[in-house]
Amino acid sequence: MGLPPKSGSSKTTTTLKWVGFVTAVWVQSISGNNYTFSNYSDALKTLMNLTQLQLNNLSVAKDVGKAFGLVAGLASDAFPTWLLLLIGSLEGLVGYGAQWLVVSKTVSPFPYWLMSIFMCMGGNSTTWMNTAILVTCIRNFRKNRGPVSGILKGYVGLSTAIFTDLCNALFSNRPAEFLMMLSLIPFAVCLTAMFFLREVPPSSTPSEISDESKYFSWFNIVAVVVAVYLLGYDFVGSKGDAFNLAFSVILLALLATPVLIPAYIAIKSWIDSKEKADVEDPKNEPLLAEEKQDVTVTETESVLVNGVGKKLQPVLGEEHTIVEALKTIDFWVLFVSFLCGVGTGLTVMNNMGQMGAALGFSDVSMFVSLLSIMGFFGRIVSGTVSEYFIKKAAIPRPYFNAASQILIAFGYIIMAMAIPGSLYIGSIIVGFCYGVRLAITVPTASELFGLKYYGLIYNILILNLPLGSFLFSGLLAGLLYDAQATVTPSGGNECYGAHCYRLCFLVMAGACVVGCGLDVVMGMRTKELYKKIAASKRSKSVVNGR
């Protein structure tokens, strides 16, 4: 259950909040395993003698696990964060552990239906982790939702590259070892986060909110360094055992670096308490009465009552129940536009192994890593930039989604043309825009419908992942590929050439143009809300003396 906001927070609580955020970053760094299917899909296809449609339906089963995130959403309002993390880590241990047993040939391949269940469990495990992290952190840092979403979703984007490059460095990118990492590492990291991540009272003074922004800037810098480091390794490639070991050690050290931020906060608080034991800090001015209110008000305030005591539908920016949110046109516009962006992006991620093979690439780890790293930049840049332009010009976040839809459509057209380097260009564009879509939608939903039931609202939106995977990857890409493919003696099939996915890319480009139109509509419908949000942010800056 969420803690009620308080007028202030102790130095110890502040430090604990930041330690929790660091562990949240670590969990997000390993919770993008749902996007790594291309790294071991060929091994599954060969061992189980699957057609492309059957393989794609396995990837759909993985994404269907996201649909059961509704359970995690409901649980987030009733159970503590640590329990959600425990459930997610155990489910991932079983789901990916079973796939490791098959790919490592420890056991004979499971029946197709049973393998689908294990794939579903692996996919569902991340919904528990992500729900626990996002709900807790956005409530803890509710005045900085854009940067929080950008950083956390950014590390999810990096997680695929982290897993891929570590496996490449330590195990020569062998699928069995890769699946072993997917099963064991998230379990260990979640066990650590269980002890530190919890809901605490949010910052309530202008100086505290300003300090949060400064610390988030440092998280951004560290994240960018990690991303550039991974990108450098991808282009340099393996240079021997010693080089690979050094790369792995430095990468782990960089991932541990954020812990220096709460350490600095704790030391600074201790020094300040020594020097100013009995002196009031003039920076800690109380918020003005009108600034103590979020744009999203409480449920009691959001309920309008007519002459006979009947509740009316709350307006955007107020707290919505699940039913109230689902009754709005805005929710469904956001839902469908989200489907166009993430559904098509998932298709590229799930099919990259076969897309690369069709164009003559025997190893697609570079493209998987590029998708991941560019997804990180899309997430982290969009979260920070959208927050800046809301404050400066009251530009609604949905307009950033609209821009990403046009850009990703352009990326699909380039991939359809199959010009030299198109897979590199496409991976960069699709990864970046997919990241923007995820990072922008997370705070947008909370700003439109409030935080009280945010865990469940977020997971209803995430239903777009299995739905988009089924429509664009399972049906569109799978059927079109099989129509062009040649049956192999083992019972599977293969397709080589640009024609294998050309029509698929063009259809996805058209879907994203539709999504762009819906995002523009959403931006127009929320202009007044974002003017209020911008005014609130500016008033806090004035109170803080900036």
Side-chain angles (χ1 to χ4, degrees):
M1 298 292 288
L3 292 173
K6 296 181 181 180
S7 59
S9 57
S10 68
K11 299 297 184 182
T12 301
T13 301
T14 300
T15 302
L16 175 64
K17 179 168 65 175
W18 285 104
V19 171
F21 188 74
V22 171
T23 61
V25 165
W26 290 343
V27 172
Q28 296 297 79
S29 297
I30 50 82
S31 64
N33 41 24
N34 208 42
Y35 302 116
T36 62
F37 184 68
S38 291
N39 282 329
Y40 58 91
S41 60
D42 273 347
L44 283 176
K45 186 176 183 180
T46 301
L47 284 169
M48 299 180 68
N49 293 323
L50 303 176
T51 66
Q52 188 61 34
L53 181 60
Q54 290 172 323
L55 181 67
N56 282 7
N57 284 336
L58 272 186
S59 74
V60 171
K62 162 184 66 71
D63 296 324
V64 164
K66 296 284 188 180
F68 296 100
L70 292 174
V71 180
L74 288 168
S76 69
D77 290 325
F79 299 108
T81 302
W82 68 264
L83 184 57
L84 272 65
L85 289 171
L86 179 62
I87 293 171
S89 61
L90 288 174
E91 194 173 17
L93 183 66
V94 174
Y96 287 105
Q99 295 174 60
W100 167 75
L101 291 174
V102 171
V103 173
S104 65
K105 300 181 181 179
T106 304
V107 300
S108 299
F110 297 115
Y112 188 84
W113 66 269
L114 184 56
M115 182 60 78
S116 298
I117 291 176
F118 287 129
M119 296 288 291
C120 184
M121 290 181 66
N124 182 246
S125 67
T126 61
T127 66
W128 292 88
M129 300 177 197
N130 292 340
T131 299
I133 297 303
L134 285 171
V135 171
T136 303
C137 290
I138 284 184
R139 286 174 177 170
N140 286 353
F141 300 97
R142 61 185 64 198
K143 301 294 184 180
N144 283 286
R145 299 179 200 183
V148 167
S149 172
I151 292 168
L152 294 178
K153 284 296 183 181
Y155 273 99
V156 173
L158 281 182
S159 63
T160 303
I162 291 170
F163 277 125
T164 300
D165 289 352
L166 274 179
C167 184
N168 189 34
L170 300 176
F171 306 113
S172 300
N173 214 27
R174 294 191 294 270
E177 282 76 4
F178 186 82
L179 280 165
M180 180 182 66
M181 291 172 58
L182 292 186
S183 62
L184 294 179
I185 294 178
F187 178 74
V189 173
C190 284
L191 289 183
T192 302
M194 284 168 53
F195 293 98
F196 299 102
L197 183 62
R198 65 196 67 177
E199 282 192 45
V200 296
S203 297
S204 58
T205 66
S207 62
E208 290 175 336
I209 296 169
S210 177
D211 286 342
E212 283 184 1
S213 299
K214 295 175 184 176
Y215 296 139
F216 284 134
S217 297
W218 284 106
F219 275 97
N220 282 333
I221 291 172
V222 172
V224 169
V225 170
V226 172
V228 172
Y229 183 68
L230 290 167
L231 192 61
Y233 177 79
D234 288 335
F235 282 102
V236 170
S238 177
K239 298 295 182 182
D241 293 342
F243 177 85
N244 288 334
L245 180 60
F247 161 78
S248 302
V249 171
I250 294 173
L251 176 60
L252 294 175
L254 287 174
L255 292 174
T257 300
V259 79
L260 296 176
I261 295 173
Y264 167 80
I265 293 171
I267 294 171
K268 182 176 179 293
S269 298
W270 181 79
I271 293 174
D272 288 346
S273 64
K274 284 287 186 180
E275 294 178 349
K276 306 174 183 179
D278 299 315
V279 179
E280 181 179 356
D281 184 358
K283 290 177 64 178
N284 285 333
E285 304 167 7
L287 287 173
L288 298 178
E290 64 271 17
E291 292 157 347
K292 294 183 181 179
Q293 302 296 326
D294 278 327
V295 174
T296 51
V297 296
T298 64
E299 183 182 23
T300 302
E301 294 166 328
S302 69
V303 174
L304 304 177
V305 184
N306 63 17
V308 294
K310 181 181 178 181
K311 292 183 180 179
L312 300 178
Q313 178 76 13
V315 299
L316 291 181
E318 298 178 340
E319 294 286 357
H320 287 62
T321 65
I322 302 304
V323 173
E324 288 168 344
L326 295 179
K327 284 181 178 180
T328 65
I329 295 175
D330 304 277
F331 180 88
W332 294 108
V333 171
L334 184 64
F335 185 92
V336 177
S337 70
F338 192 38
L339 173 66
C340 296
V342 300
T344 58
L346 268 177
T347 301
V348 175
M349 295 176 185
N350 289 340
N351 289 269
M352 183 54 75
Q354 289 68 50
M355 289 177 179
L359 295 178
F361 293 94
S362 58
D363 182 7
V364 298
S365 61
M366 162 69 81
F367 303 114
V368 174
S369 190
L370 268 179
L371 283 167
S372 173
I373 293 170
M374 295 312 299
F376 156 78
F377 282 113
R379 289 163 165 92
I380 206 163
V381 169
S382 61
T384 302
V385 170
S386 65
E387 196 78 15
Y388 173 83
F389 280 103
I390 287 174
K391 181 178 177 180
K392 294 299 181 183
I395 296 178
R397 286 194 211 271
Y399 285 140
F400 293 91
N401 277 337
S404 74
Q405 297 270 39
I406 286 295
L407 184 57
I408 200 172
F410 177 68
Y412 292 142
I413 292 173
I414 290 178
M415 296 172 83
M417 294 169 63
I419 59 177
S422 62
L423 208 54
Y424 289 95
I425 298 170
S427 296
I428 290 171
I429 293 176
V430 172
F432 184 86
C433 294
Y434 185 86
V436 171
R437 181 82 243 191
L438 286 176
I440 293 294
T441 302
V442 168
T444 299
S446 71
E447 288 160 347
L448 266 56
F449 307 113
L451 287 171
K452 185 174 178 62
Y453 298 101
Y454 176 68
L456 187 53
I457 290 173
Y458 166 76
N459 277 285
I460 292 175
L461 287 171
I462 291 300
L463 286 175
N464 276 300
L465 295 179
L467 180 58
S469 179
F470 171 72
L471 293 175
F472 293 105
S473 182
L475 291 182
L476 180 68
L479 290 173
L480 292 180
Y481 181 97
D482 284 346
Q484 303 286 341
T486 302
V487 178
T488 62
S490 63
N493 64 9
E494 295 175 346
C495 182
Y496 298 100
H499 64 284
C500 299
Y501 284 98
R502 178 173 288 125
L503 182 56
C504 176
F505 287 134
L506 294 176
V507 173
M508 293 195 301
C512 288
V513 172
V514 173
C516 174
L518 292 173
D519 288 322
V520 171
V521 170
M522 174 63 75
M524 295 173 64
R525 290 177 62 87
T526 57
K527 283 193 298 185
E528 293 304 316
L529 170 62
Y530 280 98
K531 285 180 182 178
K532 295 177 183 178
I533 295 175
S536 174
K537 292 178 181 294
R538 293 189 194 113
S539 66
K540 290 175 176 61
S541 297
V542 171
V543 171
N544 199 36
R546 292 185 294 162

